[in-house]
Amino acid sequence: MNRLTDIQHFKSEFFKALAHPMRIRILEVLSEGDRNVNELQNILGSEGSAVSQQLAVLRNKNVVSTIKDGTSVIYSLRDPLIKDLLAVAKQIFDNHLVDAISLLEGIRNEQ
């Protein structure tokens, strides 16, 4: 593979790792600080197996990193820029929402 193909492959795999609502939520929580599985379960209001399964995907794709703290495993964002990426995604969503609201208001005003 050449360098351009390597970068495209990395991006593809990275975005696949983000392609689940719970994984996005986990990353949002981790962007506020490191957490163990129990803390994530409580914050997400989800059972352990679901959270652990999604954390495994994020870990395997090198999106989160772990450190052992006694009997607990602490999860953190591997790259702090992920927090910025999530903020940009929210801005894009907000822009789409504003466009949709404007469109609906225009339709309503025509009626």
Side-chain angles (χ1 to χ4, degrees):
M1 276 195 230
N2 64 33
R3 181 164 158 63
L4 184 58
T5 307
D6 290 345
I7 292 169
Q8 290 168 341
H9 181 72
F10 170 82
K11 287 178 182 178
S12 173
E13 292 301 309
F14 179 78
F15 283 113
K16 284 179 192 174
L18 302 182
H20 191 282
M22 184 181 286
R23 292 195 291 263
I24 296 291
R25 184 66 186 121
I26 288 169
L27 294 175
E28 289 171 343
V29 170
L30 292 178
S31 72
E32 298 168 3
D34 302 349
R35 302 277 193 267
N36 65 37
V37 176
N38 289 335
E39 292 170 324
L40 287 167
Q41 289 170 5
N42 289 336
I43 292 168
L44 299 172
S46 185
E47 60 185 52
S49 60
V51 173
S52 294
Q53 180 182 16
Q54 300 308 326
L55 283 168
V57 172
L58 293 169
R59 194 174 53 246
N60 290 336
K61 297 289 186 180
N62 292 316
V63 178
V64 299
S65 56
T66 60
I67 55 169
K68 193 91 164 143
D69 182 26
T71 58
S72 293
V73 176
I74 307 298
Y75 289 86
S76 61
L77 296 180
R78 184 176 171 108
D79 189 321
L81 287 174
I82 292 170
K83 183 176 182 176
D84 296 336
L85 178 67
L86 294 171
V88 169
K90 184 178 182 320
Q91 289 173 331
I92 292 169
F93 171 81
D94 290 347
N95 291 343
H96 285 270
L97 190 58
V98 167
D99 290 345
I101 289 169
S102 295
L103 178 64
L104 289 173
E105 286 174 348
I107 291 170
R108 187 177 55 184
N109 291 337
E110 288 176 3
Q111 294 174 349

